Amino acid sequence: MGLVTFDWTQIAYIGSPLIVPWWASVNIFLGFVFFYWILGPILYYRDVWKMGHLPITGFSAYDHFGLPYDVARVLTPAMELNVTAYENYSPVYLPMTFALAYFISFMMVTAVIVHTILYDGGAILNVLRGKESEKDDIHAKLMRRYPEVPAYYFLGLFVIFFPMLIGATQ
C-alpha cells in the first residue's frame, strides 16, 4: 500500500522527482494517499465490489472462490469467450488496488480529454476554422523557410503502414 524508502530506483520509478515540478509531485502523492491509503481500504472493508475475500493488493485475477482465475475454462479452442462456460464458472474478481489502478487510468484518460476541451478548445476550433489562433513564436517563423509537406506523403504512409498494422494485430 505504500513504501517509505531512500532507494533512488524506487523513488524515481515514474521519472526523476528532480525534473518534475514540486506541485506535480505533491499532486501525485496526494492522489496516491487518497486512492490507495484512504479509498482503497474503505472499499475493501465494506466489500463494495465483492472483493473482501481477496487480497487487498495484487496483480492477478481471481474467481469467486479466491483462487487464481483459470482463463482456459472460459475460452473456446479458437480463443473466444464461451459465455455459458463463463456464467457457469465465475466472473473475474480483481484485488482492490488492481481495480483502483484500472479506475484511475480510465479517469486520467477522461481528464485529459476534458482538460484539452476546456483549456485548448478555443484554439483548436480556431485552427479547424482556418483562423490564426496565436502569434507565431520564433520556431514557427523559422519553419516558414521550409516548404509544406504535401498531403499525399501522409496518405502514402497511411496506405503503406495501415495494412501492416492490421497484419501485425491479426
Side-chain angles (χ1 to χ4, degrees), residues 97-149:
T97 56
F98 196 19
L100 279 176
Y102 273 111
F103 175 74
I104 292 167
S105 297
F106 289 127
M107 247 179 30
M108 286 191 300
V109 170
T110 305
V112 166
I113 293 168
V114 170
H115 171 78
T116 302
I117 290 169
L118 294 177
Y119 188 74
D120 294 318
I124 292 170
L125 285 175
N126 286 338
V127 169
L128 292 175
R129 291 177 184 150
K131 299 178 185 175
E132 190 169 322
S133 62
E134 298 176 0
K135 291 184 178 182
D136 288 342
D137 63 353
I138 186 66
H139 305 290
K141 290 176 184 174
L142 291 172
M143 288 303 294
R144 280 208 202 102
R145 295 185 194 173
Y146 301 100
E148 185 84 20
V149 177

Side-chain angles (χ1 to χ4, degrees), residues 40-168:
I42 290 171
L43 294 175
Y44 179 78
Y45 289 111
R46 288 184 175 253
D47 200 19
V48 171
W49 292 316
K50 298 183 175 122
M51 298 178 186
H53 64 287
L54 302 175
I56 192 168
T57 185
F59 294 102
S60 297
Y62 296 95
D63 62 14
H64 62 280
F65 294 113
L67 300 172
Y69 198 82
D70 186 8
V71 179
R73 289 180 60 176
V74 298
L75 294 178
T76 64
M79 301 300 287
E80 295 175 351
L81 178 65
N82 182 346
V83 177
T84 56
Y86 174 80
E87 290 171 351
N88 290 334
Y89 175 45
S90 170
V92 178
Y93 291 95
L94 299 175
M96 184 55 64
T97 56
F98 196 19
L100 279 176
Y102 273 111
F103 175 74
I104 292 167
S105 297
F106 289 127
M107 247 179 30
M108 286 191 300
V109 170
T110 305
V112 166
I113 293 168
V114 170
H115 171 78
T116 302
I117 290 169
L118 294 177
Y119 188 74
D120 294 318
I124 292 170
L125 285 175
N126 286 338
V127 169
L128 292 175
R129 291 177 184 150
K131 299 178 185 175
E132 190 169 322
S133 62
E134 298 176 0
K135 291 184 178 182
D136 288 342
D137 63 353
I138 186 66
H139 305 290
K141 290 176 184 174
L142 291 172
M143 288 303 294
R144 280 208 202 102
R145 295 185 194 173
Y146 301 100
E148 185 84 20
V149 177
Y152 64 85
Y153 279 29
F154 299 107
L155 182 62
L157 289 172
F158 177 77
V159 167
I160 291 169
F161 289 108
F162 188 70
M164 292 173 71
L165 170 71
I166 298 296

